[in-house]
Amino acid sequence: MRYTTEGRIVLAVLLILVPVGASAQQTQPPAASEEEPAGNSPLTLPVTLNGQGGLLAFQPERPTESYLSGGIGFVGSYTDNALLTNSNKLNNFSYQVQPRLSWSEITPKLTLNLGLNGGVIFNNNLGAQNQAAENVNLNVVWRLTEHVSFDLLDTFTNTTGFFSSIGTQAQAAGVGVVEQSNNSLLVPPAQRTLSNQSQAALTDQVGPNSLIGVRGTYSLLDYPQSSQSAEFGTLYNSRGYAAEAFYDWRFTPRQWLGATIRGQRFETVPSIATTNVGSLLLYYSVAPTPAVTLALFGGPEYTDTPPTATAAAIGLNGEGRLWTSSEGATVNWQASRTSANVSFVRQVNDGGGLASAVTLQSVSAALRQQLSSHQNEVQFGAGDSWSSPFLTGTNSEADIEGLSAFVRFQQRLARSFLVEVGYSWQRQDLLANGTPAKANRAWFAVSCDFRRSLGN
């Protein structure tokens, strides 16, 4: 296995630039409680230790009261390789009508964020792919007692790569990079994908500076009418299960240490391979400024992939038991007009469409910048991933590298109207084929939205 030189360079540059930019930008002063002795208020775990990903919301966008928001948008987009093949490319225009609705409820004991986003997709060259699209996000934080809290995250999608979510800003982070299922495989934009990821955690503050808890994660990934192209091969459905027990300790006002014992099970549907994983992860998190949080994690992993007759029948084989390692780093930056996330992870994960679990190495970065007019903003994102399946065959499964990048610009017209233009690029390299598949996509969107306060 290897990790690309470009990936290392991107990660190193971003890790350097993010904290530097944070210190150069005016941020909100730290709250008085941050420097006071611990124990005056309930502890809140930092990003990554709490099993969640970093937000791209600006500091002023953090909700302080309940509200209801929604809108409707129209999107037109074009891609030059709808089937993500390395020959005989098929271009496609798609048109989408997208209604959306968000509800945030904030009380002293309950924080609830629910987002519904969907629509209908029409294609000019892929009429059979015309379909409805759904996207649901739920985040609940419930304080059961003074020291015990329950967290629930759930994300459901049923759509294709033609779908573009516009005019929405998630106020709650999704599942973090340590617990997140494998979404690194770049499937054809025309491929319908159904996915669901749920995470629940119960946390108890057992001391003025320490927390213990348990966490469970479930992931589902299905590919209806799976791709059968010679370049891409079959896409397999997958299921993932994880259970964690953790202990976290704040030893200074801005620094944390943590330890997590984790058990995982990854299954391919139909049943081709099952991988069981046991791991011990150690965490360190520090907030050098109120706007920046850095987290490092790592530890040993033990994997067991028993051989099956089904895998042997299609020419797949591999080592059954292995000692590996899991490691990574995340940086989250939230300032008044700039936000960014950078992450690197190497660990065992589900196949994400491949016939077995994989060792996944990935680096990703996203930046959101509000421009001087306060009515427009720009977002950038890029990712590089490397999947090494546990089961390999002569002509079927091999290492896969995926590269992607996007840029989008939003301009708000008056108070309720939003215009967006964007561009994305993808490259998938199946090493057994030797010729990468590439796709370019551009889109234009207009939307009308509303927001109503529901009070404190």
Side-chain angles (χ1 to χ4, degrees):
M1 289 183 294
R2 67 179 180 86
Y3 192 74
T4 60
T5 301
E6 293 85 353
R8 293 193 185 98
I9 294 174
V10 170
L11 178 65
V13 171
L14 289 171
L15 287 176
I16 293 171
L17 291 181
V18 168
V20 171
S23 62
Q25 179 169 346
Q26 181 67 30
T27 61
Q28 294 180 349
S33 61
E34 292 185 9
E35 301 300 338
E36 293 175 356
N40 295 336
S41 61
L43 287 175
T44 300
L45 284 170
V47 173
T48 304
L49 271 71
N50 66 1
Q52 298 183 5
L55 284 166
L56 276 181
F58 305 135
Q59 283 183 349
E61 291 179 329
R62 296 175 181 174
T64 58
E65 61 179 9
S66 303
Y67 69 88
L68 183 70
S69 66
I72 188 168
F74 173 82
V75 182
S77 66
Y78 167 80
T79 180
D80 64 353
N81 193 356
L83 303 179
L84 196 62
T85 61
N86 53 27
S87 62
N88 301 319
K89 297 180 181 180
L90 175 69
N91 59 38
N92 182 70
F93 284 95
S94 65
Y95 311 92
Q96 306 162 43
V97 179
Q98 295 182 8
R100 63 183 182 275
L101 186 67
S102 298
W103 173 41
S104 178
E105 183 71 21
I106 299 176
T107 72
K109 290 190 175 183
L110 177 70
T111 299
L112 183 150
N113 289 286
L114 175 64
L116 308 174
N117 194 358
V120 182
I121 304 174
F122 303 95
N123 302 282
N124 71 327
N125 286 337
L126 294 163
Q129 299 293 336
N130 294 344
Q131 63 165 308
E134 304 92 33
N135 189 340
V136 181
N137 293 280
L138 173 67
N139 183 8
V140 178
V141 180
W142 183 16
R143 288 189 61 194
L144 302 176
T145 71
E146 183 179 357
H147 299 295
V148 179
S149 64
F150 173 76
D151 293 35
L152 175 65
L153 290 170
D154 189 84
T155 300
F156 172 82
T157 61
N158 181 16
T159 184
T160 72
F162 298 131
F163 187 77
S164 297
S165 179
I166 65 169
T168 59
Q169 292 298 334
Q171 300 296 345
V175 176
V177 297
V178 180
E179 291 80 12
Q180 191 176 59
S181 60
N182 184 5
N183 59 5
S184 65
L185 199 66
L186 305 179
V187 302
Q191 173 65 51
R192 183 182 172 205
T193 302
L194 189 154
S195 68
N196 187 80
Q197 185 154 15
S198 303
Q199 179 175 283
L202 188 65
T203 305
D204 184 7
Q205 183 174 335
V206 294
N209 293 291
S210 56
L211 296 161
I212 62 171
V214 292
R215 183 184 296 124
T217 305
Y218 168 74
S219 62
L220 172 151
L221 180 63
D222 284 352
Y223 294 104
Q225 302 174 347
S226 172
S227 166
Q228 298 290 335
S229 70
E231 291 85 2
F232 199 84
T234 301
L235 288 168
Y236 296 92
N237 302 331
S238 64
R239 304 289 185 269
Y241 313 85
E244 299 177 340
F246 57 88
Y247 171 80
D248 296 300
W249 171 49
R250 183 174 70 173
F251 62 97
T252 76
R254 295 182 183 271
Q255 297 185 85
W256 288 78
L257 289 175
T260 297
I261 299 176
R262 178 172 61 171
Q264 296 169 284
R265 182 180 179 88
F266 302 120
E267 299 175 348
T268 305
V269 182
S271 181
I272 296 175
T274 297
T275 297
N276 299 306
V277 184
S279 58
L280 170 64
L281 297 178
L282 302 179
Y283 292 81
Y284 169 72
S285 178
V286 60
T289 75
V292 179
T293 302
L294 166 68
L296 307 172
F297 64 89
E301 287 185 323
Y302 175 75
T303 67
D304 182 14
T305 308
T308 65
T310 305
I314 59 176
L316 297 179
N317 57 80
E319 298 183 60
R321 299 178 179 179
L322 292 171
W323 278 101
T324 61
S325 64
S326 172
E327 57 267 348
T330 65
V331 177
N332 181 228
W333 171 23
Q334 281 184 281
S336 58
R337 290 170 53 189
T338 304
S339 61
N341 291 320
V342 182
S343 66
F344 165 77
V345 63
R346 180 190 181 278
Q347 65 179 2
V348 176
N349 211 325
D350 65 83
L354 301 180
S356 73
V358 302
T359 298
L360 174 66
Q361 300 179 90
S362 66
V363 59
S364 62
L367 173 68
R368 181 178 172 220
Q369 176 67 57
Q370 188 177 72
L371 303 180
S372 58
S373 68
H374 294 269
Q375 296 295 316
N376 51 55
E377 66 177 60
V378 63
Q379 294 184 37
F380 302 92
D384 184 3
S385 65
W386 188 275
S387 296
S388 298
F390 284 128
L391 298 183
T392 58
T394 304
N395 297 314
S396 51
E397 296 293 323
D399 287 3
I400 297 178
E401 183 179 21
L403 292 156
S404 62
F406 77 89
V407 59
R408 60 199 300 177
F409 174 81
Q410 293 183 343
Q411 172 71 56
R412 184 161 292 280
L413 306 176
R415 184 175 181 178
S416 301
F417 293 92
L418 188 72
V419 176
E420 175 180 306
V421 293
Y423 167 78
S424 67
W425 171 83
Q426 293 181 330
R427 167 180 163 142
Q428 185 112 272
D429 194 353
L430 288 74
L431 299 189
N433 292 350
T435 303
K438 303 177 183 178
N440 296 277
R441 180 168 176 258
W443 67 91
F444 173 81
V446 293
S447 68
C448 177
D449 53 30
F450 73 90
R451 182 183 175 106
R452 297 289 183 270
S453 173
L454 301 179
N456 291 322

